[in-house]
Amino acid sequence: MSKVRSAVLTAPNTALGPGPEFDTIRSLVDRLGSRATGIGDDAAILRVPRGDVLVASVDALIERRHFERAWIEPREIGFRATSAAMSDLAAMGAWPLGTLVALGIPESWRGVLGEITDGIAEALVAADSFALGGNMSAASELSITTTVLGHTFRPMQRSGASAGDSLYVTGVLGGPTRAIAAWKRGEVPEQWHRERFARPCPRLAEARWLAAHGATSAIDISDGLVADLGHLAAANGLVAEIELDRVPVIDGATPADAVQGGEEYELIIAGPRELSVGEFESTFGLRLTRIGDLRAGPPEVRVTWRGSRVDVPGGFNHVTA
Amino acid sequence: MSKVRSAVLTAPNTALGPGPEFDTIRSLVDRLGSRATGIGDDAAILRVPRGDVLVASVDALIERRHFERAWIEPREIGFRATSAAMSDLAAMGAWPLGTLVALGIPESWRGVLGEITDGIAEALVAADSFALGGNMSAASELSITTTVLGHTFRPMQRSGASAGDSLYVTGVLGGPTRAIAAWKRGEVPEQWHRERFARPCPRLAEARWLAAHGATSAIDISDGLVADLGHLAAANGLVAEIELDRVPVIDGATPADAVQGGEEYELIIAGPRELSVGEFESTFGLRLTRIGDLRAGPPEVRVTWRGSRVDVPGGFNHVTA
């Protein structure tokens, strides 16, 4: 596939003029190596494969709002920003085309810009994607705003599901929440919790497999399982009913961590009851768990625990946080 | 044209789940009215007209780096952020498809988010474009990071010019620099200088006209005339030679304001000597001025004043500012 996919990119890098700002850009582009393409014009130029639609999304990672500097390495910050943004392409069942990266850079972060860029490059390699352009500004807090562009013949949307569809979730949840809780207590998180926060994995190939095997609708878990199920319920005008007992929880976490914590970048999928979970799991080495169903009714999320309805408040407010 | 162009957008808005964050998003989407489309999925979905390439660029406007809160109104901040980003599409000779807007929002700005959004909508109407999605985060300084997506059959790049091409600039320069200087002295700028800063105009139709009439290369003036000519010279491997006496200067500004000041969002164009300046000016009611030529030689900018070479330092460093 990769020969076909790189043909969608049409522009080589363009030489930039003199000056220290552009020396910085040149050094970052060098670090991106073959993952940087079409950089240096007023805009990136790319070709969307004929017949496909373009899908586009933007996501921001901001110091002290989404992470503390002491928690993870600069390289992990770059990796995480890129992978989290790419997760929105996964939720659409799309192939990545490329990314645009806008950096807000405080003076105290300038020395590690190269390491952040290495992490961006690593995430681009993992997703077989490219850096197509960007923007740099001085700022008082580090921010990495990543625009992802992708393509697909038939996007998998949040809407598109029907009453009677089953609800599935990829992977195991609760790791990022446990890691953040440990850091906030001044402790060192378990390595496998930390990894889920520092190196999220956009489920790109998994989502395309699921779309090809009958998934009707998807959303990635950024706000938290219950909050994001709320979006899926609203988009479809249906009740999302899940059994908390079934939710896959990472070793050392609780069901509460798994349903309320965000930034998982796993996928919630609606699809047929007979989805081939075993084939998925053996193909990707990743769990796929049926956690409930979509039913007719006013859009809301209903959670049961050992057969009884429980109240689970959902999510994180990104605006007032 | 507008009937054809709106056909490139394929997705209606999707209902979002409950919660105060999403109430905020809903109220902003309402304010955008018919200029918001395809909002609320994991990613925007759009169709690039068959045969055209996609062009994509990102630009950030950050409080205290690019403007001070006391200088301009919230509505103007939204207008300016959107128009400045759109200027990169103009420099490519592209038609706008739509924008993604990532907002970093300090508490002290939350009350005027609606007015900022009105300004974004106004700029979208002016450019006949759409808001396709976005992101909101709490932040300690206001930032508006705008991704613009556009399309064209044949992009006008920074490269593409030849030795012997003439250099032209649209409009009159120096307004934003004079306005900023006045604000920094604690004075009120002249209204016509202020307007050039607060309400920049992306030269979209102008650029497409120029591309259709033989322009070979273009860049928009964001860093300053001399700095951006430096990029054009580097991209083409040519000397950019301009006569300072010819540079069109806004009433009340000096040639130094006009060549060193950035954020003009006028266009520098390379093209044939016989470009029909009169027809351009009568079509758009905007000046088009031949200011010099591209010549063979090592890429650099040469400026003459009354026939003698002068040294003009160029540009603004966005990273260390």
Side-chain angles (χ1 to χ4, degrees), chain A residues 17 21-22 40-42 44 46 50 54-57 65 136 138-141 147 157-158 220 223 231 316 318 321, chain B residues 17 21-22 40-42 44 46 50 54-57 65 138-141 147 157-158 220 223 231 316-318 321:
Chain A
E21 177 178 358
F22 304 101
D41 218 315
D42 288 283
L46 54 163
R50 196 161 136 183
L54 175 75
V55 297
S57 177
R65 310 292 167 169
M136 294 201 306
S140 65
E141 61 199 351
T147 302
Q157 296 188 241
R158 287 187 188 176
D220 72 322
D223 295 342
H231 296 308
F316 173 81
H318 294 86
Chain B
E21 177 178 357
F22 304 102
D41 218 314
D42 289 283
L46 56 163
R50 195 162 136 182
L54 175 75
V55 297
S57 177
R65 310 291 167 170
S140 65
E141 61 199 351
T147 302
Q157 296 190 243
R158 286 187 187 176
D220 72 322
D223 294 341
H231 296 309
F316 173 81
N317 190 319
H318 293 87

Side-chain angles (χ1 to χ4, degrees), chain B residues 223-239:
Chain B
D223 294 341
L225 179 66
V226 168
D228 289 311
L229 277 169
H231 296 309
L232 199 78
N236 289 291
L238 295 170
V239 178

Side-chain angles (χ1 to χ4, degrees), chain B:
Chain B
M1 249 350 250
S2 76
K3 217 176 250 175
V4 175
R5 305 226 25 266
S6 59
V8 298
L9 300 163
T10 59
N13 293 335
T14 299
L16 289 163
E21 177 178 357
F22 304 102
D23 292 340
T24 303
I25 295 174
R26 273 183 281 269
S27 79
L28 299 183
V29 170
D30 283 349
R31 279 181 106 120
L32 287 166
S34 64
R35 290 289 144 187
T37 179
I39 307 259
D41 218 314
D42 289 283
I45 301 171
L46 56 163
R47 198 172 283 284
V48 176
R50 195 162 136 182
D52 277 15
V53 292
L54 175 75
V55 297
S57 177
V58 63
D59 196 31
L61 186 67
I62 302 183
E63 181 184 5
R64 284 190 295 269
R65 310 291 167 170
H66 298 106
F67 69 94
E68 296 287 341
R69 186 163 185 169
W71 294 357
I72 55 177
E73 299 300 319
R75 187 183 177 104
E76 292 171 325
I77 292 165
F79 185 93
R80 188 171 195 286
T82 308
S83 295
M86 210 82 79
S87 178
D88 285 320
L89 293 184
M92 305 296 283
W95 295 91
L97 278 167
T99 64
L100 303 167
V101 185
L103 296 168
I105 313 162
E107 207 196 322
S108 64
W109 283 89
R110 262 187 248 150
V112 295
L113 214 44
E115 291 164 56
I116 292 172
T117 304
D118 290 344
I120 292 172
E122 199 186 337
L124 291 172
V125 169
D128 192 17
S129 191
F130 297 90
L132 305 174
N135 190 76
M136 293 201 305
S137 293
S140 65
E141 61 199 351
L142 183 75
S143 69
I144 308 180
T145 304
T146 308
T147 302
V148 287
L149 304 172
H151 67 100
T152 175
F153 182 69
R154 194 173 59 84
M156 184 161 55
Q157 296 190 243
R158 286 187 187 176
S159 55
S162 308
D165 279 354
S166 292
L167 292 167
Y168 299 87
V169 67
T170 61
V172 290
L173 307 181
T177 303
R178 294 308 294 178
I180 292 169
W183 280 314
K184 287 191 171 168
R185 289 191 307 264
E187 295 169 11
V188 176
E190 301 290 357
Q191 181 54 29
W192 62 95
H193 295 162
R194 182 187 189 286
E195 198 70 1
R196 292 281 307 132
F197 181 86
R199 301 182 59 84
C201 182
R203 302 301 185 189
L204 290 155
E206 294 85 344
R208 294 190 301 258
W209 188 99
L210 288 162
H213 285 76
T216 53
S217 134
I219 186 170
D220 72 322
I221 304 177
S222 53
D223 294 341
L225 179 66
V226 168
D228 289 311
L229 277 169
H231 296 309
L232 199 78
N236 289 291
L238 295 170
V239 178
E241 195 168 295
I242 63 162
E243 293 172 58
L244 193 46
D245 324 58
R246 291 173 177 266
V247 172
V249 179
I250 201 169
D251 196 21
T254 67
D257 296 327
V259 294
Q260 290 184 277
E263 326 220 32
E264 294 278 358
Y265 306 112
E266 294 293 350
L267 296 174
I268 303 169
I269 295 280
R273 179 69 197 267
E274 57 278 9
L275 199 65
S276 178
V277 167
E279 192 186 337
F280 177 94
E281 292 187 337
S282 66
T283 301
F284 295 106
L286 180 73
R287 282 181 68 178
L288 180 69
T289 310
R290 185 174 162 268
I291 58 169
D293 300 282
L294 288 169
R295 302 192 186 288
E300 62 169 341
V301 182
R302 290 182 199 155
V303 182
T304 59
W305 170 249
R306 296 180 181 164
S308 303
R309 180 87 185 266
V310 290
D311 190 38
V312 180
F316 173 81
N317 190 319
H318 293 87
V319 183
T320 56

